[in-house]
Amino acid sequence: MNARKDEQWLDGELRRVINTSKPKFDAASWKRRHRDAYEALLSRRRAAPVTKRCASCGLRRVVGRLALAAVIFIVAAMALMQILPRRQPESTSDGAHKVVSPADTVSMMSLQMAYRQGGEEALNRKLDRALKELGPRPSAFSAQEILRDLES
């Protein structure tokens, strides 16, 4: 209990030495003493909202115009995609078949397209045709076969 009394005494002494009351600001006397600073503050207050408002309006205009340009570009691109005809594969005028590489014959895209068009039957026909055209392929090559093919 003695320690608490010492703390209260110390708090009272500190309040007496250090003025802990809330300071009061007298605006009228400050205006009189610092007339130049007061005028500078008033001029800033008048100029600030106009500058801030113009800057934000300019930024909004730029962003708005960019957004509008992007929307117009997207709409135009979509319209052109609908209007322009899609290119069909070119056929030769003499009726000859176009040369197709073996990789294109059995590519996943080619096989998927065959399956989508005719199901398993179309897929089997496509694979049979590829087997007929390309023939069976060995699953592995020996080093001698590779070297023999390179020499010739």
Side-chain angles (χ1 to χ4, degrees):
M1 185 132 157
N2 195 13
R4 181 70 181 143
K5 285 183 183 180
D6 287 342
E7 288 177 16
Q8 288 177 351
W9 171 81
L10 183 59
D11 288 343
E13 288 297 314
L14 286 173
R15 278 192 204 99
R16 187 176 57 81
V17 173
I18 303 170
N19 187 7
T20 59
S21 63
K22 193 170 187 178
K24 305 249 187 217
F25 179 68
D26 186 13
S29 66
W30 185 87
K31 286 178 195 177
R32 282 191 305 269
R33 282 184 290 165
H34 305 286
R35 188 75 183 153
D36 296 335
Y38 177 68
E39 292 296 326
L41 285 175
L42 287 179
S43 67
R44 282 187 192 170
R45 186 180 72 185
R46 286 184 211 121
V50 173
T51 306
K52 186 177 181 181
R53 186 174 61 227
C54 290
S56 65
C57 288
L59 183 61
R60 284 186 196 149
R61 284 186 191 136
V62 170
V63 171
R65 288 179 181 169
L66 286 175
L68 181 63
V71 168
I72 290 171
F73 178 76
I74 291 170
V75 168
M78 290 176 67
L80 284 175
M81 289 174 68
Q82 295 296 324
I83 292 172
L84 294 177
R86 294 192 178 140
R87 288 185 59 188
Q88 298 296 327
E90 295 178 10
S91 62
T92 56
S93 59
D94 60 356
H97 288 72
K98 192 174 180 184
V99 177
V100 179
S101 75
D104 290 341
T105 304
V106 290
S107 69
M108 281 302 289
M109 186 167 53
S110 172
L111 295 175
Q112 284 177 349
M113 188 168 34
Y115 180 77
R116 287 182 187 152
Q117 289 175 352
E120 286 184 35
E121 294 172 4
L123 180 62
N124 287 333
R125 281 194 306 270
K126 175 90 172 169
L127 290 173
D128 289 340
R129 193 174 338 119
L131 182 63
K132 222 185 269 183
E133 289 176 11
L134 303 174
R137 300 286 183 195
S139 59
F141 291 103
S142 68
Q144 292 173 351
E145 290 175 346
I146 295 173
L147 289 175
R148 186 172 8 121
D149 289 341
L150 289 176
E151 288 175 358
S152 54

